[in-house]
C-alpha cells in the first residue's frame, strides 16, 4: 500500500513498499511531469534547495553514514557499511577507487542533481542489484521532460545558493533545460566549498574542509514506443580533508557516460544500459591542519552493461529477465619520495593491473495474485573474478642483505618487512573466481483497507573487493594506508577470503487510520551472515608511546556474524485550521545490534538506539518544522579496533521555508542549543592526534550550532 498525503506530493514508504512501488509502475517513456521525490517522513522536498552532499536526503530514508570527507561519507544500512551496500547512480555501478574509499559512488552526484531516490534495506529483489548483502540505494538524475512544441526551445531552469555559518559553507546549484515534444537537453551543475567546521564548544574540528564541483549534460529523444538517453558527467574535487584517515584527498577528477534505451512492445518492455566511468584519484596533504609528505595515486575505470526484458504473462503477472556485465580495473601506486630511505627509491605498487569482473543473469516473477496479495520471487546467479599483477615495495632492502644480516633478524622484523611480503604475494595465487547465487521472496498482503503486512526473505552474497583480497603490505606504514573504517588501525589483505553470504528475514506491519490522519509502520529484521569479512589482530603498534595511542594491525578474515533490529515510524496529522494551517507529527525509533558468532564481540560501527520527533506546519506559502533527535550512549564497541564509546546526546533543529511562484527562501538553525557531541559512527580524529598526541585517539566530534540560509529561483 502506498499512502499519499492529501496536502503534499510526498510518498510515505517502508523499505519493501519502496520496491513494490517501483516494480508496479509502468515505464513512463513519455512522461512530461517531474518525478516525485520519495521520502519516509512526508516533508515536501524542493530539490533545488538540496545542495551539496546527498546525505541529508537519504538520512530521511533511514540511511546512516560513517564519517569521511565533506562529500564522501559512507552509507550504512542495517549496521552494514561500505561495499556491502549497493549504490546505483542512474542505474550505474561505480566502484570506490581508493584504499580508504574516499570516492564512494554517492560522492559523484550532488543533491540538486537528484530527481528521485529510494532505499531498500535488507531484503531487495534480485533485479535491484547484486553483489551486496545490506540492500540497495538508488539515486536518479535522469528524468527527461518534454514540451508540446515541435520546435526545440527553452523549457525551465533554476539557480540555487546556500550558506552555512558553522563551516563558512558556500554551495551553488544551477540547472537549465531545452525541450521539444521529442527532444530534451538538460544541464545540471553544482559547486561546494567549506572550511573545517566548529563543534559545540566553538573549537575547530580539524581537517574537514573541502571543495567540489559536479557537472552533467543529459540528452534524450523519444517517440511513441521508445526513448534514448545519453548522459555525460564530470567531477573535480581539488581537495577534501579526511580527519579520520592518515592522508587527505588532493585530487579526484572523473568523467562518465551513460546510455539508456527503453522500448515498449505489445506484451513486453525492453531496457538496456551502457555505463563508463573513469577517475584519477590522488591522496596526500594540502593544509596545515594535517601535514605530511607521502603521496598515493589511483587510476580506475568502470565499464558495465545491463539488459532487462519484462514479459507480461497476463494482465496481473509478469516475468523479468536480465543480464548484466561489470568490469572494474584499477592501478594503485605510491610514488617514491626523493631522498627518503623508507619511501623510496622505487614506487610502491599496491595494486597492479587489478581487475574485478562480474557476469550476472537473473529471472524474477511478480504477480498481483488478487486484490489483497502481491508476490515477487527471483533468482540471480553471478560469476565474480578478481585478479592482480605482481607488486613491488619502495625498496628491495631485504633481498640486498647477505645471509649473515638476515640470520640476525628476528621473526618480528621479518613479519613487518614488505620485501618478503611482496615476494610471497607475487608467488601466490592472485586469480580468484567465485560463483554466487542470490534469491528473494517478497509478499505484500492487504489484511484490510487499513492494515497491511509485508514479508521478505532473501539470500544475498558479496564477493571481496580488491583491497580486502590484495592489500599485501605488512609494515605499519603500509597497513595504515589501507582501510575505510576511520579507526586509525592498519589492515592486511587476504587472498583466501570467501564470499559473504547473508540470509535476511524482514517483516513489516502497517496500520493507517480510516480517514488517513495517521499511519504507523513497524519493521523487524534479522540477518545471519556466513563468512562475514571482519579482521583479526596480527600485532600492535604505538607511534607515540603513550597509553592512549596504541593501535592494531589486523588482517581481513571470514567469520560468522548476526545482525538484527527494529524500526517504528509514525506520521499523523494533528491539527488543521485556516488560521494556523496544517500540523503534522513525525516520529521514529530505530535500534540495531550486531555481533560476531565466535567471540560475541559487537561488530564495528553499529549505531546505538536512536529516536526522532518532528512537528511540521504548512500555512499558505510557509512551511515550518521543529525536530528533535536523541541518540543513546554507545557502549557496545569493537575492542579489536579500539572503537571508542560515546555519550548520549540530543539535537534540536528549526527551519522555515517560504515559496512564491518562482522564488523559494529557506532559513534554518541546526543544533539550536549548540550541543557538544561525539559522532558514534565518526571514527577517530587522526588530524587532532597529529596536532596534540596527549589526548590520544579521540572520537570525531559533530557540528555545533549553524545558521543556514538558502535561496532558489526557478525560471
Amino acid at each position: 500500500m502506498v499512502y499519499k498525503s492529501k496536502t503534499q506530493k510526498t510518498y510515505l514508504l517502508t523499505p519493501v513498499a519502496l520496491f513494490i512501488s517501483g516494480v508496479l509502475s509502468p515505464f513512463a517513456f513519455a512522461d512530461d511531469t517531474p518525478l516525485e521525490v520519495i521520502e519516509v517522513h512526508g516533508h515536501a522536498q524542493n530539490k533545488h534547495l538540496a545542495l551539496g552532499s546527498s546525505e541529508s536526503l537519504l538520512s530521511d530514508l533511514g540511511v546512516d553514514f560513517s564519517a569521511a570527507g565533506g562529500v564522501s561519507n559512507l552509507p550504512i544500512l542495517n549496521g552494514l557499511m561500505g561495499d556491502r551496500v549497493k549504490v546505483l547512480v542512474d542505474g550505474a555501478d561505480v566502484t570506490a577507487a581508493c584504499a580508504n574509499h574516499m570516492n564512494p559512488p554517492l560522492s559523484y552526484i550532488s543533491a540538486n542533481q537528484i530527481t528521485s531516490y529510494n532505499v531498500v534495506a535488507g531484503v531487495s529483489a534480485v533485479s535491484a542489484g547484486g553483489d551486496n548483502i545490506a540492500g540497495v540505494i538508488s539515486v536518479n538524475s535522469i528524468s527527461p521532460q518534454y514540451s508540446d512544441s515541435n520546435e526545440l526551445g527553452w523549457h525551465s531552469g533554476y539557480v540555487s545558493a546556500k550558506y552555512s555559518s558553522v563551516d563558512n559553507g558556500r554551495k551553488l546549484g544551477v540547472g537549465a533545460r531545452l525541450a521539444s515534444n521529442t527532444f530534451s537537453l538538460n544541464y545540471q551543475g553544482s559547486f561546494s566549498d567549506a572550511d573545517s567546521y566548529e563543534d559545540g564548544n566553538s573549537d575547530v574540528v580539524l581537517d574537514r574542509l573541502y571543495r567540489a564541483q559536479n557537472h552533467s549534460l543529459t540528452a534524450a529523444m523519444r517517440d511513441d514506443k521508445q526513448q534514448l538517453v545519453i548522459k555525460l558527467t564530470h567531477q573535480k574535487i581539488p581537495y577534501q580533508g579526511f580527519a579520520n584517515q592518515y592522508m587527505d584527498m588532493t585530487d579526484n577528477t572523473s568523467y562518465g557516460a551513460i546510455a539508456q534505451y527503453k522500448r515498449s512492445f505489445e506484451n513486453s518492455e525492453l531496457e538496456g544500459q551502457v555505463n563508463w566511468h573513469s577517475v584519477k584519484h590522488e591522496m596526500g596533504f594540502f593544509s596545515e591542519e594535517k601535514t605530511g609528505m607521502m603521496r598515493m595515486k589511483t587510476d580506475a575505470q568502470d565499464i558495465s552493461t545491463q539488459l532487462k526484458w519484462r514479459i507480461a504473462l497476463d494482465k496481473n503477472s509478469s516475468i523479468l529477465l536480465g543480464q548484466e556485465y561489470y568490469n572494474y580495473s584499477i592501478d594503485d601506486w605510491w610514488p617514491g619520495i626523493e631522498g627518503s630511505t623508507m619511501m623510496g627509491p622505487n614506487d610502491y605498487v599496491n595494486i597492479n593491473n587489478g581487475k574485478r569482473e562480474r557476469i550476472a543473469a537473473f529471472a524474477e516473477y511478480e504477480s498481483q495474485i488478487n486484490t489483497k496479495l502481491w508476490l515477487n520471487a527471483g533468482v540471480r546467479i553471478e560469476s565474480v573474478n578478481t585478479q592482480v599483477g605482481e607488486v613491488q615495495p619502495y625498496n628491495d632492502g631485504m633481498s640486498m642483505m647477505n645471509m649473515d644480516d638476515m640470520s640476525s633478524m628476528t621473526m618480528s622484523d621479518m613479519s613487518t618487512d614488505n620485501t618478503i611480503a611482496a615476494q610471497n604475494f607475487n608467488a601466490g595465487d592472485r586469480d580468484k573466481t567465485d560463483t554466487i547465487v542470490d534469491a528473494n521472496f517478497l509478499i505484500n498482503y492487504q489484511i484490510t483497507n487499513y492494515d497491511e503486512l509485508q514479508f521478505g526473505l532473501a539470500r544475498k552474497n558479496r564477493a571481496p573487493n580488491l583491497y580486502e583480497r590484495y592489500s599485501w603490505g605488512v609494515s605499519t606504514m603500509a597497513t595504515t594506508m589501507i582501510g575505510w573504517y576511520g579507526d586509525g588501525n592498519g589492515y592486511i589483505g587476504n587472498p583466501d577470503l570467501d564470499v559473504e553470504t547473508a540470509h535476511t528475514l524482514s517483516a513489516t506491519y502497517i496500520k493507517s487510520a480510516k480517514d488517513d490522519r495517521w499511519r504507523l509502520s513497524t519493521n523487524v529484521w534479522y540477518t545471519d551472515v556466513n563468512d562475514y569479512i571482519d579482521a583479526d589482530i596480527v600485532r600492535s603498534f604505538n607511534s607515540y608511546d603513550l597509553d592512549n595511542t596504541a593501535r592494531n594491525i589486523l588482517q581481513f578474515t571470514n567469520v560468522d556474524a548476526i545482525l538484527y533490529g527494529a524500526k517504528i515510524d509514525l506520521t499523523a496529522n494533528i491539527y488543521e485550521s485556516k488560521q494556523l494551517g496544517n500540523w503534522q507529527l513525525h516520529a521514529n525509533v530505530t535500534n540495531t545490534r550486531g555481533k560476531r558468532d565466535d567471540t560475541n564481540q559487537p561488530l564495528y560501527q553499529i549505531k546505538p538506539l536512536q529516536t526522532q520527533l518532528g512537528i511540521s506546519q504548512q500555512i499558505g506559502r510557509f512551511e515550518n518544522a521543529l525536530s528533535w533527535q536523541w541518540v543513546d550512549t554507545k557502549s557496545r564497541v569493537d575492542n579489536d579496533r579500539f572503537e571508542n564509546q560515546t555519550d548520549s546526546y540530543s539535537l534540536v533543529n528549526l527551519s522555515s521555508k517560504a515559496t512564491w511562484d518562482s522564488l523559494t527562501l529557506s532559513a534554518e538553525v541546526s543544533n539550536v542549543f549548540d550541543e557538544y557531541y561525539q559522532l558514534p559512527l565518526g571514527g577517530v580524529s587522526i588530524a587532532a592526534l597529529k596536532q596534540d598526541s596527549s589526548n590520544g585517539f579521540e572520537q570525531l566530534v559533530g557540528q555545533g550550532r549553524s545558521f543556514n540560509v538558502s535561496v532558489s529561483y526557478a525560471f
Side-chain angles (χ1 to χ4, degrees):
M1 174 182 176
V2 179
Y3 170 84
K4 191 172 181 181
S5 165
K6 294 180 180 179
T7 58
Q8 299 179 18
K9 282 189 170 182
T10 304
Y11 293 105
L12 306 175
L13 302 170
T14 63
V16 175
L18 280 169
F19 168 74
I20 294 171
S21 67
V23 297
L24 291 183
S25 300
F27 287 101
F29 297 160
D31 186 7
D32 291 345
T33 60
L35 296 179
E36 299 287 358
V37 171
I38 300 172
E39 291 191 276
V40 166
H41 299 302
H43 293 290
Q45 178 66 53
N46 180 341
K47 74 183 184 68
H48 301 160
L49 281 178
L51 298 173
S53 168
S54 61
E55 180 177 343
S56 61
L57 303 179
L58 295 172
S59 294
D60 287 339
L61 291 182
V63 182
D64 294 317
F65 285 87
S66 172
V71 298
S72 297
N73 293 337
L74 300 175
I76 299 175
L77 283 179
N78 289 354
L80 297 167
M81 70 167 290
D83 289 347
R84 297 186 177 102
V85 181
K86 178 59 60 183
V87 178
L88 301 175
V89 179
D90 292 318
D93 195 335
V94 178
T95 309
C98 172
N100 302 146
H101 280 28
M102 289 185 176
N103 47 17
L106 286 174
S107 68
Y108 289 104
I109 189 168
S110 57
N112 67 295
Q113 295 174 308
I114 296 174
T115 322
S116 63
Y117 53 100
N118 62 66
V119 176
V120 184
V123 181
S124 59
V126 295
S127 61
D131 197 32
N132 75 91
I133 64 172
V136 180
I137 297 173
S138 299
V139 297
N140 182 54
S141 69
I142 297 178
S143 59
Q145 298 175 37
Y146 303 90
S147 70
D148 296 328
S149 172
N150 294 329
E151 301 295 327
L152 181 64
W154 178 258
H155 182 277
S156 59
Y158 70 90
V159 176
S160 301
K162 182 177 182 178
Y163 175 79
S164 52
S165 66
V166 73
D167 58 357
N168 193 29
R170 290 86 65 197
K171 298 179 175 65
L172 178 68
V174 296
R177 189 188 302 271
L178 302 176
S180 69
N181 58 0
T182 59
F183 183 78
S184 175
L185 182 66
N186 182 34
Y187 167 78
Q188 298 263 20
S190 69
F191 174 81
S192 299
D193 184 272
D195 300 331
S196 293
Y197 60 76
E198 293 184 350
D199 62 23
N201 292 334
S202 298
D203 294 324
V204 175
V205 179
L206 297 172
D207 204 29
R208 299 290 294 167
L209 63 171
Y210 67 92
R211 179 175 292 171
Q213 58 177 295
N214 292 277
H215 306 274
S216 68
L217 183 65
T218 305
M221 298 183 352
R222 70 171 185 178
D223 59 24
D224 293 339
K225 294 184 178 180
Q226 59 190 340
Q227 176 175 274
L228 174 66
V229 178
I230 296 177
K231 177 187 175 184
L232 305 178
T233 63
H234 169 59
Q235 182 195 71
K236 179 69 173 181
I237 301 180
Y239 62 83
Q240 185 177 191
F242 286 76
N244 58 11
Q245 295 290 351
Y246 286 97
M247 299 182 72
D248 293 324
M249 177 188 289
T250 54
D251 185 57
N252 201 82
T253 303
S254 73
Y255 296 89
I258 296 174
Q260 291 181 350
Y261 177 73
K262 298 178 182 180
R263 181 178 176 89
S264 61
F265 300 92
E266 183 177 353
N267 292 310
S268 64
E269 296 164 333
L270 180 68
E271 180 177 351
Q273 180 162 323
V274 178
N275 314 296
W276 169 82
H277 185 267
S278 178
V279 61
K280 290 186 178 295
H281 172 72
E282 186 168 344
M283 295 166 60
F285 304 89
F286 65 88
S287 81
E288 294 301 317
E289 295 184 15
K290 188 169 72 182
T291 59
M293 296 176 57
M294 186 179 173
R295 292 188 302 153
M296 300 170 66
K297 291 190 174 185
T298 302
D299 288 350
Q301 180 174 261
D302 278 287
I303 298 174
S304 63
T305 62
Q306 296 98 39
L307 185 64
K308 298 179 182 179
W309 186 22
R310 184 178 294 278
I311 305 168
L313 303 178
D314 54 49
K315 71 175 184 178
N316 293 322
S317 61
S318 66
I319 187 169
L320 178 64
L321 304 176
Q323 194 281 324
E324 300 171 350
Y325 173 78
Y326 303 91
N327 186 290
Y328 170 63
S329 59
I330 182 173
D331 284 299
D332 183 331
W333 74 102
W334 312 346
I337 298 176
E338 186 176 352
S340 172
T341 57
M342 185 175 70
M343 291 182 284
N346 304 321
D347 290 348
Y348 183 104
V349 179
N350 189 40
I351 293 182
N352 176 29
N353 196 26
K355 289 182 174 59
R356 191 174 190 270
E357 184 181 62
R358 297 167 50 209
I359 302 174
F362 64 84
E364 185 176 283
Y365 171 78
E366 126 191 358
S367 176
Q368 187 72 48
I369 297 174
N370 53 46
T371 58
K372 291 182 175 292
L373 188 63
W374 174 90
L375 167 69
N376 175 282
V379 176
R380 180 187 188 98
I381 300 175
E382 288 199 33
S383 176
V384 184
N385 175 259
T386 62
Q387 55 182 285
V388 295
E390 292 189 353
V391 298
Q392 72 176 26
Y394 280 118
N395 58 70
D396 55 357
M398 282 291 295
S399 62
M400 296 174 63
M401 290 184 177
N402 58 42
M403 291 302 295
D404 291 336
D405 293 329
M406 294 184 66
S407 64
S408 65
M409 294 183 65
T410 66
M411 290 299 295
S412 177
D413 294 330
M414 298 183 70
S415 69
T416 61
D417 186 84
N418 288 330
T419 301
I420 294 178
Q423 293 172 353
N424 293 337
F425 182 84
N426 291 337
D429 183 7
R430 305 185 304 278
D431 190 332
K432 307 286 183 178
T433 299
D434 301 294
T435 301
I436 56 181
V437 178
D438 289 1
N440 78 271
F441 178 79
L442 291 160
I443 61 172
N444 193 70
Y445 181 63
Q446 195 75 44
I447 303 171
T448 71
N449 289 336
Y450 314 105
D451 298 84
E452 180 181 355
L453 180 64
Q454 300 169 355
F455 173 82
L457 179 64
R459 166 195 164 102
K460 305 181 73 175
N461 296 269
R462 181 187 75 94
N465 65 43
L466 295 182
Y467 286 104
E468 289 169 330
R469 269 199 169 141
Y470 300 121
S471 297
W472 58 272
V474 295
S475 69
T476 298
M477 186 279 296
T479 58
T480 52
M481 298 300 105
I482 308 299
W484 39 96
Y485 307 101
D487 57 7
N489 297 298
Y491 290 86
I492 302 172
N494 183 351
D496 297 323
L497 286 175
D498 291 324
V499 170
E500 293 180 326
T501 301
H503 298 87
T504 298
L505 176 66
S506 176
T508 301
Y509 174 72
I510 301 169
K511 176 73 173 179
S512 58
K514 292 182 180 180
D515 58 1
D516 278 346
R517 292 193 62 84
W518 59 266
R519 181 178 183 274
L520 178 68
S521 171
T522 59
N523 170 254
V524 293
W525 56 273
Y526 179 90
T527 299
D528 189 338
V529 187
N530 300 121
D531 295 317
Y532 177 90
I533 297 176
D534 202 29
D536 286 339
I537 298 172
V538 175
R539 67 178 190 279
S540 299
F541 69 96
N542 195 327
S543 301
Y544 295 89
D545 293 325
L546 300 174
D547 292 341
N548 55 1
T549 56
R551 295 285 101 173
N552 286 328
I553 305 298
L554 306 103
Q555 184 169 33
F556 293 114
T557 189
N558 291 114
V559 300
D560 291 338
I562 293 174
L563 300 100
Y564 55 94
K567 305 172 185 177
I568 301 174
D569 283 282
L570 171 67
T571 299
N573 297 321
I574 56 178
Y575 184 79
E576 183 175 348
S577 73
K578 289 184 177 180
Q579 294 78 17
L580 297 177
N582 300 326
W583 293 71
Q584 202 170 48
L585 172 70
H586 320 280
N588 68 73
V589 180
T590 304
N591 196 19
T592 303
R593 294 291 180 90
K595 65 176 184 177
R596 286 177 56 153
D597 269 0
D598 55 348
T599 63
N600 284 325
Q601 177 169 267
L603 297 178
Y604 183 65
Q605 281 192 330
I606 302 293
K607 193 168 188 177
L609 176 69
Q610 173 181 291
T611 65
Q612 295 187 83
L613 181 66
I615 296 177
S616 61
Q617 177 201 30
Q618 184 169 359
I619 178 168
R621 66 178 81 253
F622 294 95
E623 295 179 29
N624 306 304
L626 175 66
S627 67
W628 170 77
Q629 179 191 55
W630 176 79
V631 178
D632 196 7
T633 300
K634 182 174 174 63
S635 58
R636 297 173 54 83
V637 295
D638 184 344
N639 292 321
D640 287 354
R641 287 180 165 94
F642 292 105
E643 186 177 13
N644 291 325
Q645 297 188 17
T646 57
D647 295 331
S648 65
Y649 63 90
S650 296
L651 299 178
V652 175
N653 302 310
L654 180 65
S655 66
S656 182
K657 182 171 68 174
T659 303
W660 290 266
D661 290 339
S662 300
L663 180 67
T664 302
L665 300 176
S666 177
E668 176 189 26
V669 183
S670 59
N671 192 359
V672 171
F673 298 109
D674 213 13
E675 177 90 355
Y676 174 89
Y677 63 101
Q678 295 178 328
L679 296 166
L681 306 180
V684 299
S685 178
I686 295 173
L689 176 78
K690 286 191 170 187
Q691 292 277 348
D692 182 3
S693 61
S694 63
N695 294 322
F697 286 90
E698 293 185 302
Q699 193 75 1
L700 190 63
V701 179
Q703 292 188 355
R705 180 169 51 233
S706 183
F707 298 94
N708 311 320
V709 292
S710 304
V711 58
S712 179
Y713 180 71
F715 51 90

